[in-house]
């Protein structure tokens, strides 16, 4: 079996401009930020980004890499509105497919199951239909006995991805991935909906199924199967500044800095070098901030 | 009402009436997830669970179902949360940047959607919530900017839009209440347009009308939002919200028109 480990640079080198890219996590929770930072160091642009949006969307939008965004929101959780996403929307800088949170999940499920769509009640009657004129409805072939009618649903199209980026607490060289926090979010669906999936992890372990940690954590924490994973990247602190419990919580102070600093200034200080340089710059800032 | 106050010895604040009104939205709901968004709805949901709706489920805001003491009793990651919504075993109280007279709600953006004047949260789960489980609203500052003739983007579906969309939309659609810092509103009218259900003590019908940007149905007799019991006041003040976070979301009225009016002036008209 093949060793899928690679560097963050090698992972993003496999991406191309114009791709549809899914990004796992949720809001400012367990986002593959080190992979996003690596992506920002490339020239890749014109992306269609599919994400339960957080600072991943904010950074890529601020850097002008997103042509089209598919999302239900973009938030920093403790800061309700993602400032760079907001600026991009208010200047009309990106195309948006705005769908409901559940529609989004069913779009990923359809893609993971190789279906063209799945029927969902959500969306009917709302302006999601107005702002997405391409959305179609589907009528049930079965008569609902309570109303005597055939119900009409949104036919949520599959959100098929060229590539997915997700971040796990642990992974092995083969691509088995484990989350240890309270919520898997939808990272397995992102990987299954994608032609190629790159998984960063806090810590690489040998033989996931027999590793010490897996004996302590229940088997259902083994979220990602190697059959839907293309590459594995070990990136300690790779979700920073989003949360990655139990390894670490959100870096609220740094997130506030991110949210209140103009992007050019933030990028100059934190994103001009590699991941090691990022860590050093963050640590330097933390020393200053703690004084 | 004044006797109740004399008995309790401490007059309820506006924020406390809001807590009571929010708690009441979950009365009789049984064993469903209460999803409060905002400080006062959260206090209200906990108060309801402490008192008349003990079977309610609550979350820690992330992935755990928790009891009133914060101890976990179950797991509810997002993917299962969405099934709680579509399965209907939930009553959510959302916020609204705009709401219209049929209960259409907007939290997405202000202005033209294609290039908004002000980008807000996005539709989030409002479409799935409103079509699948009871959805109430909490508005901490009742004003014509929020209560508008037409919302800029329909996120939460109102009664007229649901009816126009057909049986799949109306089947599980229900908006029990809209609670604000001034009043409680509902849609108990023949055409499901918004109606004034109760006034918080000290508020006049005129004040609510001024703060509402569309024609509101006002019954001949408008009751006041009920008084909290002594037990409820103690729970709010000593157990659920001892630091008074509720007063940061709704401040005690200071302007003349918001000030307590004498009993003789409280006809509710």
């Amino acid at each position: 079996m093949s060793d899928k480990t690679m560097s963050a640079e090698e992972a993003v080198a496999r991406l191309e401009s114009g791709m549809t890219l899914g990004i796992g996590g949720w809001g400012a929770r367990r986002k593959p930020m080190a992979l996003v930072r690596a992506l920002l160091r490339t020239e890749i642009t014109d992306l269609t980004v599919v994400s339960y949006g957080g600072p991943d969307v904010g950074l890529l939008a601020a850097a002008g890499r997103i042509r089209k965004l598919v999302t239900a929101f973009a938030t920093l959780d403790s800061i309700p509105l993602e400032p760079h996403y907001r600026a991009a929307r208010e200047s009309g800088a990106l195309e948006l497919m705005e769908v409901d949170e559940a529609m989004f999940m069913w779009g990923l499920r359809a893609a993971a199951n190789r279906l063209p769509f799945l029927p969902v009640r959500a969306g009917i009657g709302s302006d999601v239909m107005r702002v997405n004129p391409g959305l179609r409805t589907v009528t049930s072939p079965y008569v609902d006995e309570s109303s005597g009618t055939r119900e009409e649903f949104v036919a949520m199209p599959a959100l098929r991805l060229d590539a997915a980026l997700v971040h796990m607490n642990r992974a092995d060289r083969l691509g088995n991935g484990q989350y240890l926090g309270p919520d898997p979010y939808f990272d397995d669906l992102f990987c299954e909906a994608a032609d190629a999936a790159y998984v960063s992890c806090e810590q690489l372990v040998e033989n996931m199924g027999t590793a010490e940690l897996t004996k302590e954590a229940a088997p259902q924490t083994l979220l990602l199967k190697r059959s839907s994973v293309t590459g594995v990247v070990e990136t300690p602190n790779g979700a920073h500044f989003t949360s990655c419990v139990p390894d670490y919580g959100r870096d609220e102070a740094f997130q506030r800095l991110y949210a209140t600093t103009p992007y050019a200034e933030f990028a100059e200080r934190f994103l001009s070098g590699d991941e090691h340089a990022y860590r050093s710059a963050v640590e330097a800032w933390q020393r200053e901030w703690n004084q | 009402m004044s006797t109740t106050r004399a008995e309790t010895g401490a007059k309820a604040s506006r924020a406390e009436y809001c807590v009571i009104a929010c708690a009441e939205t979950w009365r009789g709901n049984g064993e469903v997830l209460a999803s409060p968004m905002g400080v006062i709805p959260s206090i209200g949901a906990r108060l309801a669970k402490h008192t008349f709706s003990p079977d309610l489920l609550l979350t820690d805001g992330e992935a755990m179902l928790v009891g009133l003491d914060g101890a976990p009793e179950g797991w509810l990651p997002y993917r299962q949360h969405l099934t709680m919504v579509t399965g209907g075993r939930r009553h959510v109280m959302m916020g609204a940047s705009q709401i219209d007279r049929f209960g259409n709600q907007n939290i997405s953006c202000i202005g033209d959607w294609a290039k908004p004047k002000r980008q807000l949260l996005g539709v989030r789960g409002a479409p799935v919530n409103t079509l699948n489980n009871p959805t109430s609203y909490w508005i901490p500052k009742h004003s014509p900017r929020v209560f508008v003739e037409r919302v800029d983007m329909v996120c939460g579906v109102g009664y007229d839009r649901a009816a126009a969309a057909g049986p799949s939309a109306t089947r599980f659609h229900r908006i029990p209440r809209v609670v604000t810092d001034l009043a409680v509103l509902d849609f108990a009218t023949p055409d499901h347009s918004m109606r004034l259900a109760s006034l918080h003590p000290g508020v006049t019908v005129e004040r609510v009308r001024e703060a509402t940007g569309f024609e509101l149905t006002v019954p001949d007799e408008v009751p006041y939002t009920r008084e909290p019991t002594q037990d409820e006041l103690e729970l709010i003040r000593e157990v659920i919200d001892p630091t008074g976070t509720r007063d940061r979301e709704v401040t005690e009225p200071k302007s003349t028109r918001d000030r307590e009016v004498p009993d003789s002036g409280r006809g509710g008209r």
Side-chain angles (χ1 to χ4, degrees), chain B residues 47-203:
Chain B
L47 182 67
K49 185 171 169 60
H50 263 290
T51 55
F52 48 77
S53 293
D55 293 337
L56 289 173
L57 289 83
L58 298 172
T59 77
D60 65 353
E62 292 222 11
M64 300 308 287
L65 290 164
V66 293
L68 286 167
D69 59 357
E73 63 163 325
W75 186 48
L76 194 68
Y78 277 118
R79 56 185 68 195
Q80 292 190 359
H81 196 133
L82 289 172
T83 309
M84 205 85 136
V85 174
T86 51
R89 303 199 65 80
R90 177 174 181 256
H91 182 169
V92 60
M93 183 172 253
M94 299 187 79
S97 304
Q98 295 178 324
I99 191 165
D100 72 17
R101 67 190 292 254
F102 291 104
N104 296 292
Q105 168 252 28
N106 176 20
I107 49 170
S108 172
C109 64
I110 299 298
D112 177 17
W113 177 87
K115 193 182 170 188
K117 204 184 305 169
R118 211 173 137 79
Q119 173 65 38
L120 304 174
L121 298 172
V123 289
R124 297 223 58 159
V128 71
N129 286 345
T130 45
L131 260 58
N132 289 280
N133 63 192
T135 304
S136 292
Y137 293 105
W138 160 244
I139 290 148
K141 195 165 170 47
H142 194 140
S143 84
R145 289 165 58 95
V146 179
F147 287 77
V148 294
E149 200 65 58
R150 278 176 68 89
V151 303
D152 293 344
M153 165 95 179
V154 176
C155 304
V157 178
Y159 280 98
D160 57 338
R161 293 283 294 249
S168 168
T170 54
R171 191 170 175 190
F172 305 117
H173 177 267
R174 198 158 72 83
I175 309 174
R177 308 259 166 89
V178 178
V179 179
T180 80
D181 60 333
L182 301 181
V184 178
L185 307 121
D186 65 18
F187 300 90
T189 50
D191 66 348
H192 287 301
S193 58
M194 202 184 284
R195 181 190 80 130
L196 181 56
S198 78
L199 291 163
H200 300 332
V203 180

Side-chain angles (χ1 to χ4, degrees), chain B residues 229-243:
Chain B
T229 66
Q230 180 69 44
D231 271 2
E232 287 172 332
L233 273 183
E234 278 175 22
L235 280 167
I236 296 168
R237 293 174 181 177
E238 286 157 38
V239 179
I240 304 174
D241 185 33
T243 60

